[in-house]
Amino acid sequence: VGSEMCIREDIHVVFTKTAETADHYIEKFAHENGKKYNVTVATSDGVEQVIIRGQGCLLISAREFEKEIAAMEEHLRENYLNKTY
């Protein structure tokens, strides 16, 4: 059985069901939600990128997503270290 974990109100991590691929889940989710909501998918798979764009979703490569996460971590670290108590 698949499950979902909510990181924030707008970020959800999904663990797919047995025998369900992540690509299949993403394609189905994009089809059902891509034109109704602001959905961004992180993938570097060329075929998935074409499908995702065709469903109206925004796209970010896995490498770009990793860079954004690292930059945010650094920003948060700097803010924490510069905080005066």
Side-chain angles (χ1 to χ4, degrees):
V1 175
S3 64
E4 184 175 321
M5 177 176 45
C6 184
I7 303 285
R8 294 182 358 181
E9 183 180 314
D10 58 345
I11 297 177
H12 300 262
V13 176
V14 176
F15 299 91
T16 58
K17 300 174 198 170
T18 303
E20 180 181 30
T21 67
D23 287 349
H24 180 259
Y25 179 89
I26 291 166
E27 291 166 15
K28 185 172 103 180
F29 185 88
H31 177 72
E32 292 171 356
N33 298 285
K35 291 184 172 62
K36 293 188 279 187
Y37 303 103
N38 183 11
V39 176
T40 301
V41 176
T43 183
S44 292
D45 183 304
V47 173
E48 284 303 300
Q49 288 178 345
V50 171
I51 293 168
I52 294 311
R53 283 190 181 119
Q55 297 301 329
C57 297
L58 300 174
L59 180 69
I60 185 170
S61 74
R63 184 168 291 155
E64 289 174 56
F65 184 63
E66 182 180 32
K67 286 179 184 177
E68 280 193 26
I69 296 294
M72 184 55 69
E73 286 176 338
E74 182 61 26
H75 174 73
L76 292 171
R77 187 176 299 108
E78 287 175 7
N79 282 349
Y80 176 76
L81 293 176
N82 291 329
K83 202 174 209 180
T84 57
Y85 296 95

